[in-house]
Amino acid sequence: EVQLVEAGGGVVQVGGSLRLSCAASGCRFNDYSIVWFRQAPGKEREGVARISSAGNFTTYAESVKGRFTVSRDNANDTVALQMNTLNPEDTAVYYCYGRHARYYRVEYWGRGTQVTVSL
């Protein structure tokens, strides 16, 4: 069974930092590109950062560019999302999503981790 498990969420003050992690099991992790999504109350889920299966290509939403950094450690089957200079608009549940690099219908979601940025 393939699992993606997020960790590292919590409450942080404006301007603070958090580091989220996504740990994979049950799959060949380096076959999957990973996207971090987030969903705030009353809003649609949005992709914030993507990293290719080899880790050599990343993209970011405009709203987080320059503040968030996605990285991966394929030896340990983990992906991290470093979030700096957080603001209240970053408050959301953050999800890890993995999609096979060749077989696009093979995809998995984590259950999410809550990030709350307080004033």
Side-chain angles (χ1 to χ4, degrees):
E1 179 188 7
V2 176
Q3 285 190 319
L4 299 176
V5 180
E6 301 93 339
V11 180
V12 63
Q13 290 188 328
V14 170
S17 298
L18 278 176
R19 185 177 179 86
L20 305 183
S21 63
C22 173
S25 61
C27 64
R28 284 171 52 94
F29 184 64
N30 59 3
D31 284 344
Y32 289 79
S33 62
I34 298 293
V35 182
W36 284 98
F37 284 83
R38 68 185 181 186
Q39 188 165 22
K43 294 188 177 180
E44 292 188 357
R45 192 173 294 189
E46 63 168 341
V48 295
R50 177 188 178 275
I51 188 164
S52 61
S53 56
N56 57 345
F57 186 71
T58 58
T59 57
Y60 298 91
E62 284 298 320
S63 58
V64 306
K65 203 172 286 185
R67 301 188 297 122
F68 289 13
T69 303
V70 61
S71 60
R72 68 189 295 158
D73 179 354
N74 282 347
N76 290 299
D77 295 351
T78 58
V79 172
L81 184 68
Q82 178 66 42
M83 306 186 296
N84 299 327
T85 320
L86 287 162
N87 59 60
E89 289 70 39
D90 296 315
T91 295
V93 178
Y94 284 71
Y95 298 90
C96 179
Y97 165 82
R99 189 177 75 170
H100 198 283
R102 292 181 60 190
Y103 306 110
Y104 289 169
R105 292 185 180 181
V106 179
E107 56 183 8
Y108 302 97
W109 287 92
R111 293 190 174 186
T113 185
Q114 176 71 47
V115 171
T116 302
V117 183
S118 63
L119 294 171

